[in-house]
Amino acid sequence: MGKLLVVLVAFALLVPPSPAAASAMPEAPNCPIYPTDDVWHSNVQLMPVHPMSATWIANMGGPTRLLHPDFGGPYGYQLQVTSNATPTTRLSFDYADESDNVPYPFTSSTPIEAGSDAHAFMLNKDTCVLYELFSASWNGGQPTAGSGAVFDLKSHSLRPAGWTSADAAGLPIWPGVLRYDEVARGLVDHAIRFTAQRTDRSYVWPARHQAGAARDPALPPMGARFRLSASFSFEGYSPQTQVVLMAMQRYGLILADNGSNFFFQGQVDPRWGDQLISELKRIPAGAFDAVDASSLMIDPNSGRVASGATQQALIPGWHSTWQQQSAYLVMTPGQVADFWICFSNSGTETWQRGVWGKQANLGLNGDDKLPYRLGMAADWLWDDRIATTTAATVAPGEIAEFRFKVRAPMDLGTYRLNLRPVIDGTVWMEDQGVFWLIVVR
């Protein structure tokens, strides 16, 4: 059995209690990897399938093509965390007219990706500014690069239209890189960057640049978004792999560069396990759909998206959409801890606390009573109902919070809470695969 508590969660928070913490890394905890209402963190699970979905996938190796995690062991992307004290230098760029000509915290010790792309990534933890280079070389103290791009991670600003970056799509690379710390903690709350061999000579928001093989709408454009099907079964996959699968369902993949079909990138970290890497190689491209995410755009020059349920038209009746869960904890046997979870009311009916048939409760999916029998209920409504909304009413489009306590079982082991909102006396709302996987030590 496992030796620590891992809390796995599902979707991205679109209206967070603390926007500055979105995807923050342990090495730079005060720096968001973009605000939580940015396109990188947008929930695309309910987005409509793009009419070119099947055609694009057919031209990206076909539905039997398997995903390839382009990281593990010594492979992947490596970020150098810098500060205001780090020396900076200016570089000579091959594509100077589309590069940010500013001093970069690029030094002789900055990691440079092996291979032809020679990417380099630097994050100033004091300013939360991300610097990315393509084809970087220290060149004996006279540094050069193919291109360079600078991103304020507290801002929604996109690059000028038509400009490249260290990626062909003109997007930042690091926000779409899979990191070990986020998989280990149980939450990947952003879209994942991936590549395709041949792309159209066009781009769609939020991309800013194209490097297409042909002007052909049968090829995917830069910026295209792909989502893992909600029907894809997680059965047989390890908990860490399920974290990645959930991110692919909720936030999807963003096409950002030319390269091998359905290769997606992660950071260099010796802790990546062989099981995770091998399991990710079992996922077929046919399990994905391209989605039309154009409704997320507010301003073509900004990555900010409409918040919460306003991104989707309300659905007649009783419906909910997952938003976020509380921080991840390590628990000891018998320990009681506070939890919270947020769902938006994506239906047209108002949730009313205290009114039977209209009160929204947080239920254990399938009326599962095992957690109650294991003593996990601390302040629950009853054996298979954990909590109701903190607000007296939750109107259509509003976000509801559920607060409750959980007592860790006395026996060491892995425990799972499968959660689903329900209007008791009326209907269960959507099963979105929301769960906490708990390992007690």
Side-chain angles (χ1 to χ4, degrees):
M1 306 300 287
K3 295 187 176 179
L4 64 138
L5 171 106
V6 180
V7 183
L8 298 182
V9 297
F11 298 57
L13 176 63
L14 299 174
V15 184
S18 179
S23 286
M25 302 183 305
E27 304 93 326
N30 296 321
C31 292
I33 308 298
Y34 283 114
T36 329
D37 58 347
D38 191 84
V39 63
W40 282 99
H41 301 288
S42 58
N43 178 346
V44 297
Q45 189 185 25
L46 300 180
M47 291 285 150
V49 174
H50 196 284
M52 294 298 290
S53 177
T55 301
W56 288 347
I57 290 174
N59 286 309
M60 297 164 68
T64 61
R65 170 78 180 188
L66 299 178
L67 267 64
H68 184 88
D70 197 16
F71 57 94
Y75 304 105
Y77 291 156
Q78 191 168 353
L79 176 75
Q80 181 181 45
V81 177
T82 67
S83 70
N84 286 338
T86 304
T88 59
T89 186
R90 289 184 179 271
L91 295 93
S92 296
F93 294 110
D94 294 336
Y95 302 99
D97 57 339
E98 294 180 20
S99 294
D100 292 317
N101 186 18
V102 299
Y104 287 68
F106 182 59
T107 68
S108 59
S109 63
T110 301
I112 298 176
E113 175 198 14
S116 59
D117 284 352
H119 289 113
F121 308 95
M122 299 136 281
L123 172 62
N124 185 324
K125 65 180 181 180
D126 294 327
T127 63
C128 299
V129 173
L130 174 68
Y131 301 82
E132 299 188 343
L133 298 171
F134 164 71
S135 192
S137 172
W138 180 241
N139 195 31
Q142 301 295 319
T144 62
S147 59
V150 177
F151 303 91
D152 180 355
L153 295 182
K154 292 183 177 180
S155 165
H156 294 292
S157 297
L158 301 177
R159 293 180 66 66
W163 277 34
T164 189
S165 61
D167 236 351
L171 294 170
I173 294 175
W174 193 255
V177 170
L178 201 62
R179 308 192 317 265
Y180 181 83
D181 68 274
E182 57 188 355
V183 174
R185 76 182 186 178
L187 174 63
V188 176
D189 70 345
H190 60 81
I192 299 170
R193 170 194 184 271
F194 86 111
T195 61
Q197 186 173 6
R198 300 180 72 243
T199 56
D200 184 37
R201 290 180 183 167
S202 67
Y203 60 89
V204 296
W205 178 88
R208 311 300 281 167
H209 183 263
Q210 61 82 23
R215 191 169 299 280
D216 182 356
L219 299 175
M222 288 295 175
R225 196 90 168 240
F226 291 77
R227 173 191 64 209
L228 182 63
S229 171
S231 63
F232 186 82
S233 175
F234 291 6
E235 188 71 28
Y237 288 95
S238 66
Q240 282 198 340
T241 303
Q242 291 186 35
V243 174
V244 181
L245 296 178
M246 285 192 293
M248 290 177 173
Q249 282 188 339
R250 279 94 190 201
Y251 317 119
L253 311 176
I254 292 182
L255 180 55
D257 202 5
N258 293 123
S260 297
N261 288 320
F262 283 100
F263 274 47
F264 63 100
Q265 285 66 44
Q267 73 172 142
V268 173
D269 197 300
R271 295 171 293 178
W272 291 118
D274 291 341
Q275 181 180 18
L276 171 75
I277 300 300
S278 62
E279 288 180 349
L280 290 173
K281 292 179 180 178
R282 290 164 34 192
I283 307 167
F288 284 80
D289 293 307
V291 298
D292 181 356
S294 59
S295 63
L296 294 172
M297 185 179 71
I298 298 174
D299 180 338
N301 297 311
S302 170
R304 189 169 74 88
V305 300
S307 63
T310 60
Q311 294 184 23
Q312 302 295 332
L314 297 174
I315 306 169
W318 303 93
H319 299 277
S320 65
T321 301
W322 192 98
Q323 296 294 331
Q324 193 190 27
Q325 296 174 213
S326 53
Y328 325 109
L329 305 176
V330 174
M331 296 179 73
T332 56
Q335 178 186 351
V336 176
D338 293 310
F339 293 80
W340 57 262
I341 187 168
C342 293
F343 285 86
S344 59
N345 179 355
S346 51
T348 56
E349 300 289 339
T350 298
W351 304 349
Q352 299 181 49
R353 193 180 65 206
V355 179
W356 182 257
K358 294 186 178 182
Q359 173 173 300
N361 294 327
L362 184 63
L364 287 169
N365 203 355
D367 296 323
D368 182 12
K369 294 176 172 52
L370 179 59
Y372 178 82
R373 293 197 294 268
L374 292 172
M376 300 179 73
D379 62 347
W380 297 2
L381 300 179
W382 59 87
D383 55 1
D384 52 21
R385 296 294 183 269
I386 294 180
T388 189
T389 58
T390 57
T393 62
V394 181
E398 293 183 343
I399 294 177
E401 181 182 62
F402 299 83
R403 290 190 171 271
F404 56 96
K405 298 178 184 295
V406 172
R407 180 180 292 106
M410 298 305 296
D411 294 333
L412 304 185
T414 303
Y415 303 89
R416 177 168 171 148
L417 297 177
N418 296 296
L419 305 175
R420 184 177 177 185
V422 56
I423 306 293
D424 281 300
T426 303
V427 68
W428 282 93
M429 289 187 277
E430 282 80 359
D431 180 2
Q432 297 171 335
V434 179
F435 64 90
W436 264 292
L437 183 67
I438 299 175
V439 182
V440 181
R441 68 175 183 188

